[in-house]
Amino acid sequence: MSSELRYTANTQLEHLHARYTGTGHADLTKYEWLTHQHRDTLSSIVGHPPLLSYLAIADGEAVGRVKFEMTERMLQPCGPPPAKEE
């Protein structure tokens, strides 16, 4: 019975990872995880107009300007990637 439950849990987990790219996996580095989190947050702000308007008012900028800056920041939200170890 436990092997069936384990198989079902693994299948569900694999389906979750295939469907949602930001859910991570065992080989995910801290930088990659943080980048996913920042991109998800930025895309959520850009995708919800009331939240975008709130940030534009708080910054004293135009809504279009804040949207542009958020989409630009999505390219490398956490700066350049760290050097890979060989």
Side-chain angles (χ1 to χ4, degrees):
M1 172 104 178
S2 66
S3 65
E4 291 175 13
L5 182 61
R6 194 175 316 134
Y7 176 73
T8 304
N10 284 339
T11 305
Q12 290 174 347
L13 189 61
E14 287 174 4
H15 176 70
L16 179 76
H17 290 306
R19 188 169 183 179
Y20 302 105
T21 57
T23 53
H25 51 79
D27 297 329
L28 195 67
T29 64
K30 181 179 177 181
Y31 174 79
E32 291 171 333
W33 181 82
L34 198 60
T35 301
H36 285 302
Q37 294 299 317
H38 280 257
R39 281 192 183 133
D40 287 346
T41 302
L42 292 169
S43 64
S44 178
I45 291 170
V46 169
H48 292 90
L51 193 54
L52 187 64
S53 296
Y54 175 78
L55 285 175
I57 291 169
D59 288 343
E61 298 278 344
V63 174
R65 185 68 178 154
V66 172
K67 189 174 187 177
F68 174 75
E69 289 175 359
M70 295 277 177
T71 52
E72 284 290 311
R73 215 182 314 165
M74 277 190 233
L75 293 174
Q76 284 189 336
C78 301
K84 298 206 177 202
E85 296 178 12
E86 296 296 324

